[in-house]
Amino acid sequence: MAALPPGFLSESLGRIQPSQTIAVTQKARELKAAGRDVIGLGAGEPDFDTPDNVKEAAIAAIRRGETKYTNVEGIPELRKAIAAKFKRENGLDYATSQIFVGAGGKAVIYNALLATLNPGDEVVCVAPYWVSYPDIVALAGATPVVVEAKFENGFRLTPEQLDAAITPKTKWVILNQPSNPTGACYTADQLKALADVLVRHPHVWVLSDDIYEHLVYGDFKFATIAAVEPKLYERTMTMNGVSKAYAMTGWRIGFCGCPEPLVKAMAKLQSQSVSHATSISQWASVEALNGTQHFIPERKKIFEERRDLVVSMLNQATGIECPKPDGAFYVYPSIRGLIGKTAPSGKVIKTDEDFASELLEFEGVAVVHGAAFGLSPFFRVSYATSNQALEAACTRIQRFAAALK
Ligand SMILES: Cc1ncc(COP(=O)(O)O)c(C=O)c1O
């Protein structure tokens, strides 16, 4: 392969990393294709299929000829369905003109940050964070300010930490719960305590990434910040999408509710990039939001059982400590007890990256190392796979941990 000429690639590209979660998933796929027995616990997507009513709505849309360009911000029918969803599920009033649709939740976040950030601006990101936040901030030329949510505090940001991270340059604070990668959630009271800090800093906007909203377990009740503290409504972007709740990762539909001028700014940017989300996926999403919701509690129950299985099995592994989170489909166990030990290969486990690569090599289990999410020494397990695969993978992790000397 011929090299590109020096200076050909942009400086902004040099500021970002390829997504490490996608890299692990791809590595596991390649090893499997080469005949290795690999269990992938890296992917951030439900193993369930898209519901049939949603698929049928897409097929009907194709047959009706809904295959042309749409409005940049999204088709009116979908924007209306999203506004109704925010009202019904979150108690938030958004006019249709305050709704923006993008090609996936990631694209919505990308549009919001690229449309608002300048060099010198700061964005507070809570570690461990979803891998894309700091990279999108850096791509926009702004500075991610990383605050570490502590294991001891259930990986939740404290109001004191939030207050200390805000400076006159802070433009956004990104809050994500249920969290990728920890599954940590905030009760309405915990959110209110963070909101009280934000009320005192009127120049700061909040990006609330609620994409795992429907995946909360036990008695936990999901709450979102703009509903908990209406004083923040005018400077909050409430972001969500169909990817996780409706098992529609490949359809690429994400959305948000926010002040109308921000919708207009994002639309200006989107009009010069992908133009709009795919017409067929938009029609499928109308059905996802307006149609039957019965599979959400059914699938939630299955995820909850898997969470309990994984937490219990990982806590039986030597040197691994796994908290039990309230949501999402991830756990984020600590490997503090394994750092400094020697793997069967003779390699000393100095970092969580060493742990993940030796685990893949010796036991064929693919997980993502904590450093990818900005907090070590941990690793992320996605339990969005069958109970059988999870049991086998956790047994291998137990065996690997026991083999470290
Ligand atoms: C926290 C979080 N936000 C946003 C997204 C983006 O979702 P989408 O697939 O809709 O772009 C993901 C996907 O993994 C995520 O984990």
Side-chain angles (χ1 to χ4, degrees), residues 44 104-107 109 130 133 176 180 209 211-212 239 243-244 249 252-253 330:
K106 190 184 275 181
I109 297 167
W130 179 48
Y133 302 137
N176 164 228
N180 177 3
D209 180 343
I211 202 145
Y212 295 97
M239 178 254 144
S243 297
K244 315 286 175 174
T249 44
R252 310 308 306 132
I253 296 288
Y330 308 104

PDB file of all heavy atoms in Angstrom, residues 44 104-107 109 130 133 176 180 209 211-212 239 243-244 249 252-253 330, ligand 1:
ATOM      1  N   GLY A  44     -21.089  -3.303  21.808  1.00  0.00           N
ATOM      2  CA  GLY A  44     -22.064  -2.492  22.516  1.00  0.00           C
ATOM      3  C   GLY A  44     -23.419  -2.543  21.855  1.00  0.00           C
ATOM      4  O   GLY A  44     -24.047  -1.504  21.666  1.00  0.00           O
ATOM      5  N   GLY A 104     -27.984   8.153  13.810  1.00  0.00           N
ATOM      6  CA  GLY A 104     -27.459   7.488  15.013  1.00  0.00           C
ATOM      7  C   GLY A 104     -27.258   8.493  16.130  1.00  0.00           C
ATOM      8  O   GLY A 104     -27.119   9.704  15.880  1.00  0.00           O
ATOM      9  N   GLY A 105     -27.256   7.968  17.362  1.00  0.00           N
ATOM     10  CA  GLY A 105     -27.017   8.838  18.509  1.00  0.00           C
ATOM     11  C   GLY A 105     -25.670   9.525  18.398  1.00  0.00           C
ATOM     12  O   GLY A 105     -25.510  10.705  18.745  1.00  0.00           O
ATOM     13  N   LYS A 106     -24.689   8.791  17.883  1.00  0.00           N
ATOM     14  CA  LYS A 106     -23.340   9.369  17.752  1.00  0.00           C
ATOM     15  C   LYS A 106     -23.359  10.602  16.853  1.00  0.00           C
ATOM     16  O   LYS A 106     -22.716  11.608  17.146  1.00  0.00           O
ATOM     17  CB  LYS A 106     -22.399   8.301  17.181  1.00  0.00           C
ATOM     18  CG  LYS A 106     -20.937   8.689  17.211  1.00  0.00           C
ATOM     19  CD  LYS A 106     -20.068   7.636  16.551  1.00  0.00           C
ATOM     20  CE  LYS A 106     -19.684   6.527  17.508  1.00  0.00           C
ATOM     21  NZ  LYS A 106     -18.813   5.500  16.888  1.00  0.00           N
ATOM     22  N   ALA A 107     -24.120  10.529  15.771  1.00  0.00           N
ATOM     23  CA  ALA A 107     -24.177  11.658  14.837  1.00  0.00           C
ATOM     24  C   ALA A 107     -24.855  12.873  15.472  1.00  0.00           C
ATOM     25  O   ALA A 107     -24.500  14.022  15.161  1.00  0.00           O
ATOM     26  CB  ALA A 107     -24.912  11.245  13.563  1.00  0.00           C
ATOM     27  N   ILE A 109     -24.709  13.680  18.698  1.00  0.00           N
ATOM     28  CA  ILE A 109     -23.706  14.258  19.592  1.00  0.00           C
ATOM     29  C   ILE A 109     -22.642  14.994  18.765  1.00  0.00           C
ATOM     30  O   ILE A 109     -22.238  16.115  19.082  1.00  0.00           O
ATOM     31  CB  ILE A 109     -23.067  13.138  20.456  1.00  0.00           C
ATOM     32  CG1 ILE A 109     -24.142  12.500  21.344  1.00  0.00           C
ATOM     33  CG2 ILE A 109     -21.899  13.660  21.280  1.00  0.00           C
ATOM     34  CD1 ILE A 109     -23.724  11.204  22.007  1.00  0.00           C
ATOM     35  N   TRP A 130     -17.966   7.062  27.656  1.00  0.00           N
ATOM     36  CA  TRP A 130     -18.161   6.434  26.344  1.00  0.00           C
ATOM     37  C   TRP A 130     -17.034   6.947  25.449  1.00  0.00           C
ATOM     38  O   TRP A 130     -16.759   8.155  25.417  1.00  0.00           O
ATOM     39  CB  TRP A 130     -19.535   6.820  25.781  1.00  0.00           C
ATOM     40  CG  TRP A 130     -19.795   6.236  24.425  1.00  0.00           C
ATOM     41  CD1 TRP A 130     -19.607   4.930  24.048  1.00  0.00           C
ATOM     42  CD2 TRP A 130     -20.269   6.915  23.269  1.00  0.00           C
ATOM     43  NE1 TRP A 130     -19.954   4.768  22.722  1.00  0.00           N
ATOM     44  CE2 TRP A 130     -20.357   5.963  22.224  1.00  0.00           C
ATOM     45  CE3 TRP A 130     -20.638   8.236  23.002  1.00  0.00           C
ATOM     46  CZ2 TRP A 130     -20.798   6.292  20.944  1.00  0.00           C
ATOM     47  CZ3 TRP A 130     -21.082   8.570  21.734  1.00  0.00           C
ATOM     48  CH2 TRP A 130     -21.161   7.599  20.717  1.00  0.00           C
ATOM     49  N   TYR A 133     -16.861  10.512  23.301  1.00  0.00           N
ATOM     50  CA  TYR A 133     -17.011  11.916  23.748  1.00  0.00           C
ATOM     51  C   TYR A 133     -15.710  12.721  23.627  1.00  0.00           C
ATOM     52  O   TYR A 133     -15.688  13.775  22.983  1.00  0.00           O
ATOM     53  CB  TYR A 133     -17.514  12.025  25.190  1.00  0.00           C
ATOM     54  CG  TYR A 133     -18.837  11.382  25.508  1.00  0.00           C
ATOM     55  CD1 TYR A 133     -18.984  10.659  26.685  1.00  0.00           C
ATOM     56  CD2 TYR A 133     -19.940  11.508  24.674  1.00  0.00           C
ATOM     57  CE1 TYR A 133     -20.197  10.061  27.016  1.00  0.00           C
ATOM     58  CE2 TYR A 133     -21.148  10.907  25.004  1.00  0.00           C
ATOM     59  CZ  TYR A 133     -21.272  10.191  26.177  1.00  0.00           C
ATOM     60  OH  TYR A 133     -22.457   9.606  26.503  1.00  0.00           O
ATOM     61  N   ASN A 176     -23.986  10.843  31.067  1.00  0.00           N
ATOM     62  CA  ASN A 176     -24.524   9.645  30.419  1.00  0.00           C
ATOM     63  C   ASN A 176     -24.908   8.630  31.488  1.00  0.00           C
ATOM     64  O   ASN A 176     -24.058   8.194  32.249  1.00  0.00           O
ATOM     65  CB  ASN A 176     -23.457   9.054  29.467  1.00  0.00           C
ATOM     66  CG  ASN A 176     -23.768   7.621  29.059  1.00  0.00           C
ATOM     67  OD1 ASN A 176     -22.901   6.750  29.121  1.00  0.00           O
ATOM     68  ND2 ASN A 176     -24.976   7.370  28.634  1.00  0.00           N
ATOM     69  N   ASN A 180     -22.452   3.816  29.752  1.00  0.00           N
ATOM     70  CA  ASN A 180     -21.517   2.967  29.029  1.00  0.00           C
ATOM     71  C   ASN A 180     -20.157   3.559  29.386  1.00  0.00           C
ATOM     72  O   ASN A 180     -19.936   4.718  29.051  1.00  0.00           O
ATOM     73  CB  ASN A 180     -21.778   3.061  27.525  1.00  0.00           C
ATOM     74  CG  ASN A 180     -20.776   2.259  26.718  1.00  0.00           C
ATOM     75  OD1 ASN A 180     -19.914   1.589  27.283  1.00  0.00           O
ATOM     76  ND2 ASN A 180     -20.874   2.356  25.401  1.00  0.00           N
ATOM     77  N   ASP A 209     -27.062  12.164  27.727  1.00  0.00           N
ATOM     78  CA  ASP A 209     -27.093  11.015  26.819  1.00  0.00           C
ATOM     79  C   ASP A 209     -27.865   9.890  27.512  1.00  0.00           C
ATOM     80  O   ASP A 209     -27.348   9.198  28.374  1.00  0.00           O
ATOM     81  CB  ASP A 209     -25.660  10.588  26.480  1.00  0.00           C
ATOM     82  CG  ASP A 209     -25.603   9.393  25.538  1.00  0.00           C
ATOM     83  OD1 ASP A 209     -26.615   8.693  25.398  1.00  0.00           O
ATOM     84  OD2 ASP A 209     -24.523   9.155  24.959  1.00  0.00           O
ATOM     85  N   ILE A 211     -29.324   7.206  26.080  1.00  0.00           N
ATOM     86  CA  ILE A 211     -29.574   6.138  25.097  1.00  0.00           C
ATOM     87  C   ILE A 211     -29.903   4.775  25.730  1.00  0.00           C
ATOM     88  O   ILE A 211     -30.573   3.957  25.122  1.00  0.00           O
ATOM     89  CB  ILE A 211     -28.435   6.066  24.065  1.00  0.00           C
ATOM     90  CG1 ILE A 211     -28.904   5.390  22.780  1.00  0.00           C
ATOM     91  CG2 ILE A 211     -27.193   5.391  24.620  1.00  0.00           C
ATOM     92  CD1 ILE A 211     -28.291   5.931  21.528  1.00  0.00           C
ATOM     93  N   TYR A 212     -29.459   4.542  26.990  1.00  0.00           N
ATOM     94  CA  TYR A 212     -29.781   3.267  27.671  1.00  0.00           C
ATOM     95  C   TYR A 212     -30.975   3.388  28.622  1.00  0.00           C
ATOM     96  O   TYR A 212     -31.178   2.522  29.477  1.00  0.00           O
ATOM     97  CB  TYR A 212     -28.556   2.748  28.441  1.00  0.00           C
ATOM     98  CG  TYR A 212     -27.406   2.386  27.525  1.00  0.00           C
ATOM     99  CD1 TYR A 212     -26.369   3.281  27.282  1.00  0.00           C
ATOM    100  CD2 TYR A 212     -27.372   1.148  26.877  1.00  0.00           C
ATOM    101  CE1 TYR A 212     -25.330   2.959  26.419  1.00  0.00           C
ATOM    102  CE2 TYR A 212     -26.346   0.821  26.019  1.00  0.00           C
ATOM    103  CZ  TYR A 212     -25.327   1.733  25.795  1.00  0.00           C
ATOM    104  OH  TYR A 212     -24.301   1.409  24.934  1.00  0.00           O
ATOM    105  N   MET A 239     -30.680  13.738  24.740  1.00  0.00           N
ATOM    106  CA  MET A 239     -30.370  12.912  23.561  1.00  0.00           C
ATOM    107  C   MET A 239     -30.755  11.455  23.817  1.00  0.00           C
ATOM    108  O   MET A 239     -30.629  10.959  24.941  1.00  0.00           O
ATOM    109  CB  MET A 239     -28.874  13.062  23.293  1.00  0.00           C
ATOM    110  CG  MET A 239     -28.343  12.260  22.167  1.00  0.00           C
ATOM    111  SD  MET A 239     -27.411  10.923  22.911  1.00  0.00           S
ATOM    112  CE  MET A 239     -27.768   9.635  21.793  1.00  0.00           C
ATOM    113  N   SER A 243     -31.317   2.800  18.891  1.00  0.00           N
ATOM    114  CA  SER A 243     -30.308   1.738  18.748  1.00  0.00           C
ATOM    115  C   SER A 243     -30.396   0.663  19.814  1.00  0.00           C
ATOM    116  O   SER A 243     -30.407  -0.529  19.499  1.00  0.00           O
ATOM    117  CB  SER A 243     -28.900   2.333  18.785  1.00  0.00           C
ATOM    118  OG  SER A 243     -28.716   3.192  17.699  1.00  0.00           O
ATOM    119  N   LYS A 244     -30.432   1.065  21.083  1.00  0.00           N
ATOM    120  CA  LYS A 244     -30.300   0.080  22.159  1.00  0.00           C
ATOM    121  C   LYS A 244     -31.656  -0.490  22.572  1.00  0.00           C
ATOM    122  O   LYS A 244     -31.816  -1.699  22.667  1.00  0.00           O
ATOM    123  CB  LYS A 244     -29.604   0.716  23.367  1.00  0.00           C
ATOM    124  CG  LYS A 244     -28.376   1.558  23.009  1.00  0.00           C
ATOM    125  CD  LYS A 244     -27.160   0.752  22.604  1.00  0.00           C
ATOM    126  CE  LYS A 244     -26.031   1.672  22.148  1.00  0.00           C
ATOM    127  NZ  LYS A 244     -24.784   1.019  21.861  1.00  0.00           N
ATOM    128  N   THR A 249     -29.347  -0.959  16.080  1.00  0.00           N
ATOM    129  CA  THR A 249     -28.034  -0.306  15.915  1.00  0.00           C
ATOM    130  C   THR A 249     -27.674  -0.033  14.448  1.00  0.00           C
ATOM    131  O   THR A 249     -27.105   0.993  14.132  1.00  0.00           O
ATOM    132  CB  THR A 249     -26.925  -1.156  16.573  1.00  0.00           C
ATOM    133  OG1 THR A 249     -27.126  -2.519  16.225  1.00  0.00           O
ATOM    134  CG2 THR A 249     -26.932  -1.021  18.082  1.00  0.00           C
ATOM    135  N   ARG A 252     -29.260   3.200  12.246  1.00  0.00           N
ATOM    136  CA  ARG A 252     -28.652   4.519  12.401  1.00  0.00           C
ATOM    137  C   ARG A 252     -29.680   5.650  12.572  1.00  0.00           C
ATOM    138  O   ARG A 252     -29.788   6.540  11.717  1.00  0.00           O
ATOM    139  CB  ARG A 252     -27.694   4.842  11.225  1.00  0.00           C
ATOM    140  CG  ARG A 252     -26.676   3.782  10.878  1.00  0.00           C
ATOM    141  CD  ARG A 252     -25.828   3.284  12.049  1.00  0.00           C
ATOM    142  NE  ARG A 252     -25.155   4.319  12.765  1.00  0.00           N
ATOM    143  CZ  ARG A 252     -25.161   4.425  14.109  1.00  0.00           C
ATOM    144  NH1 ARG A 252     -25.798   3.570  14.863  1.00  0.00           N
ATOM    145  NH2 ARG A 252     -24.503   5.404  14.689  1.00  0.00           N
ATOM    146  N   ILE A 253     -30.382   5.608  13.679  1.00  0.00           N
ATOM    147  CA  ILE A 253     -31.286   6.715  14.029  1.00  0.00           C
ATOM    148  C   ILE A 253     -31.053   7.125  15.483  1.00  0.00           C
ATOM    149  O   ILE A 253     -31.171   6.311  16.398  1.00  0.00           O
ATOM    150  CB  ILE A 253     -32.781   6.336  13.852  1.00  0.00           C
ATOM    151  CG1 ILE A 253     -33.112   6.034  12.385  1.00  0.00           C
ATOM    152  CG2 ILE A 253     -33.689   7.455  14.397  1.00  0.00           C
ATOM    153  CD1 ILE A 253     -33.161   7.227  11.442  1.00  0.00           C
ATOM    154  N   TYR A 330     -23.663  -3.472  30.549  1.00  0.00           N
ATOM    155  CA  TYR A 330     -22.228  -3.578  30.797  1.00  0.00           C
ATOM    156  C   TYR A 330     -21.948  -3.733  32.290  1.00  0.00           C
ATOM    157  O   TYR A 330     -22.694  -3.222  33.121  1.00  0.00           O
ATOM    158  CB  TYR A 330     -21.512  -2.301  30.354  1.00  0.00           C
ATOM    159  CG  TYR A 330     -21.822  -1.867  28.955  1.00  0.00           C
ATOM    160  CD1 TYR A 330     -22.685  -0.790  28.725  1.00  0.00           C
ATOM    161  CD2 TYR A 330     -21.268  -2.520  27.861  1.00  0.00           C
ATOM    162  CE1 TYR A 330     -22.980  -0.380  27.433  1.00  0.00           C
ATOM    163  CE2 TYR A 330     -21.567  -2.115  26.565  1.00  0.00           C
ATOM    164  CZ  TYR A 330     -22.415  -1.052  26.358  1.00  0.00           C
ATOM    165  OH  TYR A 330     -22.719  -0.652  25.086  1.00  0.00           O
TER     166      TYR A 330
HETATM  167  C1  LIG B   1     -23.352   6.076  25.696  1.00  0.00           C
HETATM  168  C2  LIG B   1     -23.636   5.979  24.243  1.00  0.00           C
HETATM  169  N1  LIG B   1     -24.078   7.058  23.598  1.00  0.00           N
HETATM  170  C3  LIG B   1     -24.332   7.037  22.290  1.00  0.00           C
HETATM  171  C4  LIG B   1     -24.150   5.896  21.553  1.00  0.00           C
HETATM  172  C5  LIG B   1     -24.411   5.946  20.076  1.00  0.00           C
HETATM  173  O1  LIG B   1     -25.407   5.149  19.624  1.00  0.00           O
HETATM  174  P1  LIG B   1     -25.736   5.018  18.085  1.00  0.00           P
HETATM  175  O2  LIG B   1     -25.438   3.607  17.721  1.00  0.00           O
HETATM  176  O3  LIG B   1     -27.198   5.344  17.983  1.00  0.00           O
HETATM  177  O4  LIG B   1     -24.900   5.990  17.330  1.00  0.00           O
HETATM  178  C6  LIG B   1     -23.683   4.728  22.174  1.00  0.00           C
HETATM  179  C7  LIG B   1     -23.418   3.520  21.398  1.00  0.00           C
HETATM  180  O5  LIG B   1     -22.675   2.634  21.769  1.00  0.00           O
HETATM  181  C8  LIG B   1     -23.419   4.782  23.563  1.00  0.00           C
HETATM  182  O6  LIG B   1     -22.966   3.698  24.218  1.00  0.00           O
END
